[in-house]
Amino acid sequence: MAQVHVINHPLIVHKLSLMRDKYTGPKEFREAVEEISSLLCYEATRDLPLKEVEIETPIAQTKVKFISGKKLAVVCLLRAGLGMVDGVLDLIPNAKIGHIGMYRDPDTMQPVEYYCKLPTDIASRDVIVVDPMLATGGSAIVAIQFLKNYGVQNIKLLSILAVPESISAIQEEHPDVDIFCASVDEKLNEKGYIVPGMGDAGDRLFGTK
Ligand code: PRP
Ligand code: URA
């Protein structure tokens, strides 16, 4: 079964508190999303394989280690996932980036896909999927299935908020995908919003409400 890693480092907790505050504007919200994403990415990449290489320092010959293994891609779920991309790229600047457009039908809460552009070699890469909100989990579940259909074998999911419902749903559909998030909140309300949550992440990032 995939693991859920709730990263409650004080730096993350502090920035998340700023994001939850309804008086925090888009600029500060965007900055906090980017910074939290870097910190989550740091944890999510803890198991990257290393290979030993012999080099010369100015003083002596020595063996050092470099990251090896498959190349990485970041796949962001539009719109809100866009806010996380730069934070991840700060740590993995050579990652290729894919976009999957998905919005949640407000009546049915079902994800509707409207766009998909992935690196052509996506099947040969390990993928970090970014979306700040896992509410019902529907959007992430569909996006991950998409990537698996393209042949991707190793996927991690980076998010900011989840709830027990989304975690169970994702674990059931994709038991191989580890989830990294900053908090598992209490529940969903009747409109499918995370409680206490931070509101509509896309609107808060882009100031559209
Ligand atoms: C938000 C969020 C997730 C989705 C989560 O996107 O970014 O993709 O909701 O909900 P779910 O887990 O129930 O599927 P939204 O549909 O609001 O689209 P937007 O990012 O374009 O605003
Ligand atoms: N999508 C959001 O942006 N926020 C929620 O609380 C739930 C889904």
Side-chain angles (χ1 to χ4, degrees):
M1 175 67 76
Q3 289 190 16
V4 181
H5 305 260
V6 182
I7 316 296
N8 53 7
H9 187 287
L11 290 172
I12 292 183
V13 173
H14 179 87
K15 292 173 203 299
L16 178 57
S17 301
L18 282 175
M19 291 173 64
R20 289 187 191 278
D21 186 335
K22 70 176 185 179
Y23 296 109
T24 299
K27 175 179 178 289
E28 288 74 24
F29 189 88
R30 270 196 300 275
E31 287 167 358
V33 171
E34 188 175 327
E35 289 161 1
I36 286 187
S37 303
S38 281
L39 295 165
L40 292 172
C41 179
Y42 178 79
E43 287 298 328
T45 49
R46 216 171 246 292
D47 63 349
L48 285 181
L50 294 165
K51 77 165 182 240
E52 208 167 67
V53 175
E54 191 149 332
I55 61 146
E56 279 178 55
T57 75
I59 307 299
Q61 191 103 354
T62 188
K63 285 184 180 144
V64 294
K65 289 177 181 171
F66 288 102
I67 289 171
S68 68
K70 284 190 185 174
K71 294 197 170 138
L72 294 169
V74 184
V75 171
C76 90
L77 300 202
L78 303 176
R79 287 177 301 166
L82 280 173
M84 299 182 73
V85 172
D86 282 348
V88 172
L89 288 180
D90 281 346
L91 301 193
I92 317 171
N94 288 322
K96 286 191 178 175
I97 305 162
H99 296 89
I100 298 179
M102 196 99 71
Y103 71 87
R104 217 169 53 146
D105 183 298
D107 298 321
T108 63
M109 281 184 227
Q110 292 304 308
V112 182
E113 183 231 325
Y114 60 90
Y115 184 79
C116 180
K117 187 79 181 170
L118 299 171
T120 49
D121 61 352
I122 191 80
S124 64
R125 290 178 178 258
D126 291 339
V127 172
I128 299 175
V129 174
V130 293
D131 186 340
M133 309 301 273
L134 304 176
T136 64
S139 305
I141 287 170
V142 171
I144 291 167
Q145 191 55 54
F146 233 75
L147 294 169
K148 288 183 174 175
N149 294 347
Y150 272 90
V152 179
Q153 284 171 359
N154 186 5
I155 300 171
K156 286 176 179 163
L157 178 56
L158 234 66
S159 185
I160 296 180
L161 292 187
V163 283
E165 291 96 313
S166 52
I167 287 176
S168 310
I170 294 165
Q171 283 184 324
E172 187 163 319
E173 291 293 324
H174 299 296
D176 54 318
V177 174
D178 278 3
I179 301 171
F180 295 80
C181 63
S183 169
V184 178
D185 275 13
E186 195 187 324
K187 60 178 182 183
L188 295 180
N189 70 12
E190 64 290 348
K191 289 187 175 154
Y193 279 92
I194 295 176
V195 180
M198 58 172 102
D200 186 304
D203 284 339
R204 295 206 59 196
L205 273 166
F206 300 113
T208 40
K209 218 173 205 171

